[in-house]
Amino acid sequence: MNPPLLSPSLADETGVRAELTATAGGLVPLLAGQAAEGERLRRVPDEAARALREAGMFRLGTPRAFGGFGAGVRTCMEVTAELARGDASAAWIATIYAGGSLVASLMDDQARTDVWGRDRDTAVAASLTPSGGAVAAENGDLVVTGRWGWASGIDHAGWVVLAIAPSAADQPPVIALVPVAEVTVEDTWHVAGMAGTGSNSLVVDQVRVPAHRTLSMGGVLAGAYAGRHEGEPRNAVAVSSMLALTVVAPMLGMAGAALELALATAARKPMALTVYARLADSPSVQLAFADAASLVDTARLHAYRAADDLDHAAAEGRELTVGERARVRMDTAVAAIRSREAVDRLVSVSGASAFALANPLQRIWRDLGTASRHGVVNPDLGREIYGRSLLGITEQPTFLV
């Protein structure tokens, strides 16, 4: 039975955001309690996934026409950042599902009914690095074969969107929507951080994908499908910018959680080999906390400025300029790096005990170190993209601008 809706028909996005963020906050204790088990299993535990699903966290990107929230970029980010206060991996798969659902929602009504017609909580995973290949069949269908990596959250998803490498260099990749039941999951996700995301590899062997479940990746990035469905302004969001930016949301949550944990430690733990009965009494610690808190604020300010830029442009039906999208990539990079720097300082000031396996701070440190090096974040590439734009250089090293 489907859970009750959390007011998805509210016109006021701010109200939806507040409601969903409060719901996400209520899940934090459960997610925190399941985080170690998720790391051991190398996927989000079933109990945590069930709680996310029942709370509507898999419906962030589901179209409102199918009982979802069709949430904007900032709403998705604030909600998943809140989830990350409990478990970064749980927040990560919710983020990926929001992006996968956006791509699926751009397809025609038949494809959307295939996905959400029977279950509005169906999660859509994604692997959008072009790979594999496809052979054309009759009626515009494709027969897909290949291997895709890093399909986060595939264990709890019903569908997955895959980017298929083009057969010719001058053609854009094709995006295919495939039922998870028709793919084979390879156990390849053995990592030091973000282990609970279950980002395993997928193998597809001669799977037929009907034409209505395909899109041109070039068309998606160019906004060609933005107006396909009335009353869904989220479909007009700059997809390339959104996919890169939203993955920093769990990093914001991790950094905030690390600050809370370290503050609690500083209030009770003595500084070894000194006269300070509490870390908090040391001026050097006080300065470190001021720096760390400011870094957390900096990350949030950049990330949410970029999210607002994307949402406002989508609401206005306006395409972002290359310069605006380049700045979003820079904001993405800044948010990731400042979050990581904040946690590095907090781990250092907390002392060697922060690395005890029982201390969640060390998991945050490992998770953030891994997440902030994701390919779509790539801070140095973000700087390069922004610098080129500022200098009037039109050629960019990636299509994800």
Side-chain angles (χ1 to χ4, degrees), residues 10 25 28 42 84 90 133 148 155 190 200 256 288 318 337 346:
L10 288 174
V28 167
R42 291 178 296 108
W148 285 261
D155 294 282
H190 300 266
N200 286 304
R318 179 177 66 84
I337 289 299
L346 293 167

Side-chain angles (χ1 to χ4, degrees), residues 323 326-327 330 383-393 396:
R327 194 181 78 172
M330 187 66 193
R383 292 166 61 204
E384 182 180 344
I385 291 168
Y386 192 42
R388 283 173 175 263
S389 174
L390 291 172
L391 292 167
I393 301 172
Q396 289 289 0

Side-chain angles (χ1 to χ4, degrees), residues 43-106:
R43 61 175 175 80
V44 173
D46 292 343
E47 181 181 353
R50 184 164 50 252
L52 290 169
R53 175 186 167 96
E54 291 176 353
M57 297 297 112
F58 292 176
R59 276 187 280 128
L60 292 175
T62 302
R64 293 185 178 186
F66 288 87
F69 297 103
V73 178
R74 178 149 184 178
T75 295
C76 288
M77 292 185 70
E78 289 200 23
V79 171
T80 53
E82 185 69 10
L83 292 174
R85 291 180 52 242
D87 178 30
S89 291
W92 188 271
I93 70 166
T95 297
I96 297 302
Y97 294 160
S101 293
L102 171 61
V103 175
S105 74
L106 297 174

Side-chain angles (χ1 to χ4, degrees), residues 28-45 83-90 191-197 250-251 253-255 257-258 261 340 343-344 347 352-372:
V28 167
L30 182 148
L31 297 179
Q34 293 278 306
E37 177 68 1
E39 188 165 51
R40 186 188 70 80
L41 295 172
R42 291 178 296 108
R43 61 175 175 80
V44 173
L83 292 174
R85 291 180 52 242
D87 178 30
S89 291
V191 290
M194 301 298 290
T197 61
M251 303 178 210
M254 283 187 263
L261 288 167
R340 191 167 79 203
V343 173
D344 283 344
V347 167
S353 63
F355 293 92
L357 293 179
N359 191 331
L361 190 56
Q362 54 79 27
R363 185 185 307 112
I364 292 174
W365 178 72
R366 287 184 289 109
D367 284 349
L368 197 98
T370 301
S372 61

Side-chain angles (χ1 to χ4, degrees), residues 102-236:
L102 171 61
V103 175
S105 74
L106 297 174
M107 295 186 174
D108 69 15
D109 286 331
Q110 181 58 57
R112 287 152 52 110
T113 300
D114 290 347
V115 177
W116 296 295
R118 294 184 179 181
D119 182 2
R120 69 184 185 210
D121 291 290
T122 297
V124 182
S127 184
L128 293 176
T129 299
S131 185
V135 176
E138 62 271 19
N139 303 318
D141 295 358
L142 297 176
V143 178
V144 177
T145 298
R147 186 174 184 275
W148 285 261
W150 322 134
S152 300
I154 194 66
D155 294 282
H156 304 293
W159 294 78
V160 60
V161 286
L162 302 172
I164 301 169
S167 56
D170 60 346
Q171 295 178 348
V174 173
I175 293 175
L177 176 65
V178 180
V180 171
E182 296 183 9
V183 308
T184 299
V185 179
E186 283 190 351
D187 185 7
T188 56
W189 189 241
H190 300 266
V191 290
M194 301 298 290
T197 61
S199 303
N200 286 304
S201 299
L202 305 179
V203 176
V204 177
D205 184 18
Q206 298 289 305
V207 171
R208 186 167 184 137
V209 180
H212 71 267
R213 286 201 256 117
T214 66
L215 295 170
S216 163
M217 191 168 190
V220 169
L221 298 180
Y225 307 102
R228 173 174 271 177
H229 304 285
E230 291 185 10
E232 297 183 19
R234 183 175 185 263
N235 286 3

